[in-house]
Amino acid sequence: MQASDIIGTIGATLTTASFVPQAWHTFKTKDVRGISLGMYSAFTVGVACWLVYGFLLSEWPIVIANFITLTLAMAILTMKLRYHAP
C-alpha cells in the first residue's frame, strides 16, 4: 500500500466516523436544535456528488467512504426534518 493510499484511508475513516456520534446522539435524543438545515442539506448533496465521482472513476475507497457518510448525513437530515418543531 502506498503512502497516499494510507493517508486517504485514514482520512476517509476519520471523516466518515465523525458522523456516527452526531447521528447516534440525534437518534437517541431527537434533539435537532443545533443542526443547521442549510448546512446539512448542502453537505448531503456534496457527499452525493463525491459518491458519483467515485463511481465514475471506479475509485472504491471514495465510493465506500462517501456511501457511508451519505447514509449518516441523510439520517441526520431526515431527523432534522422530522423532529424540527415549527
Side-chain angles (χ1 to χ4, degrees), residues 17-34:
S18 71
F19 281 85
V20 173
Q22 181 69 61
W24 181 251
H25 174 77
T26 305
F27 180 74
K28 276 180 46 180
T29 66
K30 298 179 178 33
D31 180 9
V32 294
R33 290 174 294 168

Side-chain angles (χ1 to χ4, degrees), residues 12-54:
T13 301
L14 292 173
T15 56
T16 299
S18 71
F19 281 85
V20 173
Q22 181 69 61
W24 181 251
H25 174 77
T26 305
F27 180 74
K28 276 180 46 180
T29 66
K30 298 179 178 33
D31 180 9
V32 294
R33 290 174 294 168
I35 295 173
S36 166
L37 180 60
M39 180 273 182
Y40 262 91
S41 298
F43 180 78
T44 301
V45 171
V47 172
C49 290
W50 276 111
L51 178 61
V52 171
Y53 176 75

